Amino acid sequence: MKPRVRSEFAKSGYVFAKSPEDIAKEYGFSKVALLGSNENPYPPSDKVLKAAADALSGVNRYPDPKAAKFNAGIRANICDAPVVTSGLGMDGVIETVIRTLVAPGEKVVISTPTFSVYGLDAKAASANVVNVPRKSDFTVDPEEFIREAKDAKLSFLCTPNNPTGTVTPVADIEYILERIDGVLFLDCAYVEFSDVDYLPLLSHDNLIIGRTLSKVYGLAGLRIGYAFVPEWLAGPYNIAATPFTLNKVSEAAATQAVSETAYKNNFIAHVRKWREVFIREIPFPVYPSGSNFVLINVSPMKGDDVMELLAKQGVLVRSCASFPGLGDTYIRVSVGDVWENERFLSAVKKL
Ligand SMILES: *Cc1c(COP(=O)(O)O)cnc(C)c1O
């Protein structure tokens, strides 16, 4: 008999950015502007690098299964609510939350267009996935969302939303929380770049706030995510999770990173400044953004074609054609280092 994989994994999955090495080689650039994955363009601080290097010498021993130092760092520096972690980024938190809460056939609601991981993981868990489209300006209609989310086991809403940048007001989230029976997973991967703070909503016992060290903290390559969860969920989450959620190096780096404010605040200021420059200078419609990227409508051109044209000029951006429900005329561009932003602006003006 020929072994067969489950149909959920037979076709399309997560879409990764094109490889910068390929672009550099194909078009003859010594370095490429990496504006496709919403990363921090600057390396971690010296103290973070040292903490990680010091931890490396102890990796003959297993890490702390409770990641107690990181948890204490989060409580001291960010919020004193129950925390859960994942060494596979917030992607890993999402996967574990679904595993903890959703049985096969149960309803999972997603506000779209958005990050693909919720749908991929929910389908992998054999959930009944229902997408609720945003309005044409990509804001959320709370009533529309509640109509489907009301009886769902778990719902996903991303704010600021990837890839649109849209910020959903705190009052709208509270309105939703008060009208649904299940749990709302609020993906706040980019919240540090916005002006909103959803943490006060954690008094609701059906809210999970997902966060990551990959964006503002500049640790994408270490894969560290965490979430604030209601009291009742922390225990079951840790039972459902793969043991040792953080490794020794990632826990040491992350604990140091969350204790430092200068690195984070400098990058946030840089992002806010360049976001305004992008909105002002890009010769296409740009959507309002609370994150470290902007969504651009390049119509009548196609996002895939514009991605190729920019790659020829040494700039890597993300075509949004693979985001279900968005159409094929959008690109997403991250704020990068100064030279990257300048190269992008000069390239986009030549299109
Ligand atoms: C980047 C991102 C994440 C997860 O990042 P990790 O690197 O897995 O921590 C989660 N949600 C959204 C919307 C993102 O853009």
Side-chain angles (χ1 to χ4, degrees):
M1 197 194 94
K2 196 165 169 262
R4 278 204 228 142
V5 297
R6 289 174 60 196
S7 60
E8 287 84 349
F9 304 120
K11 292 198 300 285
S12 58
Y14 187 85
V15 178
F16 295 93
K18 211 174 155 150
S19 140
E21 288 81 14
D22 289 351
I23 292 178
K25 210 159 75 200
E26 213 172 321
Y27 303 118
F29 287 92
S30 61
K31 54 181 186 172
V32 173
L34 302 180
L35 306 181
S37 297
N38 304 336
E39 296 144 332
N40 187 324
Y42 305 112
S45 78
D46 288 346
K47 282 184 177 169
V48 169
L49 295 178
K50 177 158 189 322
D54 288 350
L56 199 53
S57 64
V59 296
N60 52 309
R61 301 292 180 191
Y62 279 107
D64 171 10
K66 296 199 164 114
K69 290 199 177 105
F70 177 70
N71 282 33
I74 293 293
R75 282 198 301 276
N77 294 290
I78 300 180
C79 178
D80 190 16
V83 191
V84 295
T85 58
S86 166
L88 290 173
M90 197 209 301
D91 294 347
V93 175
I94 293 164
E95 204 263 327
T96 307
V97 163
I98 291 172
R99 198 193 305 180
T100 312
L101 292 176
V102 182
E106 287 189 320
K107 187 175 178 184
V108 171
V109 164
I110 304 173
S111 172
T112 57
T114 195
F115 193 52
S116 63
V117 167
Y118 324 130
L120 293 170
D121 284 353
K123 282 184 194 133
S126 305
N128 164 27
V129 178
V130 178
N131 292 332
V132 180
R134 288 166 174 255
K135 295 195 268 186
S136 60
D137 63 357
F138 302 125
T139 57
V140 173
D141 180 336
E143 300 297 349
E144 287 286 312
F145 187 76
I146 291 163
R147 196 175 351 261
E148 284 296 344
K150 201 174 170 20
D151 61 352
K153 190 70 182 283
L154 177 64
S155 309
F156 287 94
L157 199 154
C158 184
T159 176
N161 187 38
N162 180 3
T164 64
T166 323
V167 173
T168 303
V170 177
D172 287 0
I173 300 300
E174 179 150 48
Y175 186 85
I176 290 167
L177 286 170
E178 283 165 357
R179 285 163 184 79
I180 61 174
D181 294 330
V183 172
L184 179 67
F185 187 106
L186 203 64
D187 183 331
C188 290
Y190 302 97
V191 74
E192 293 91 346
F193 303 108
S194 76
D195 298 317
V196 285
D197 180 9
Y198 301 101
L199 295 175
L201 297 180
L202 284 168
S203 55
H204 293 264
D205 73 351
N206 60 346
L207 174 64
I208 300 172
I209 293 186
R211 314 244 303 202
T212 177
L213 280 277
S214 297
K215 310 284 159 58
V216 73
Y217 292 101
L219 295 176
L222 281 183
R223 315 299 304 115
I224 307 150
Y226 66 99
F228 297 112
V229 298
E231 196 88 52
W232 58 266
L233 184 61
Y237 176 101
N238 285 317
I239 293 169
T242 304
F244 305 112
T245 55
L246 297 189
N247 68 58
K248 279 197 164 171
V249 175
S250 64
E251 185 184 10
T255 305
Q256 177 60 30
V258 297
S259 77
E260 293 176 12
T261 47
Y263 175 92
K264 176 169 118 172
N265 290 342
N266 288 343
F267 184 50
I268 291 170
H270 172 86
V271 164
R272 289 186 177 172
K273 180 184 129 194
W274 276 98
R275 202 162 64 190
E276 293 314 307
V277 177
F278 276 12
I279 289 170
R280 204 168 56 232
E281 294 202 14
I282 293 167
F284 295 96
V286 182
Y287 287 83
S289 171
S291 53
N292 65 339
F293 58 82
V294 292
L295 182 75
I296 305 166
N297 189 349
V298 294
S299 172
M301 289 184 282
K302 301 280 186 234
D304 285 352
D305 296 338
V306 168
M307 183 178 72
E308 280 303 326
L309 291 169
L310 291 172
K312 285 189 182 140
Q313 300 191 62
V315 181
L316 177 57
V317 304
R318 174 74 191 263
S319 164
C320 295
S322 65
F323 284 90
L326 189 55
D328 56 3
T329 66
Y330 295 88
I331 60 168
R332 190 193 67 195
V333 183
S334 322
V335 171
D337 198 353
V338 175
W339 72 267
E340 295 177 300
N341 302 338
E342 284 171 350
R343 188 189 282 181
F344 162 68
L345 283 174
S346 97
V348 77
K349 287 173 188 169
K350 284 190 214 134
L351 286 173

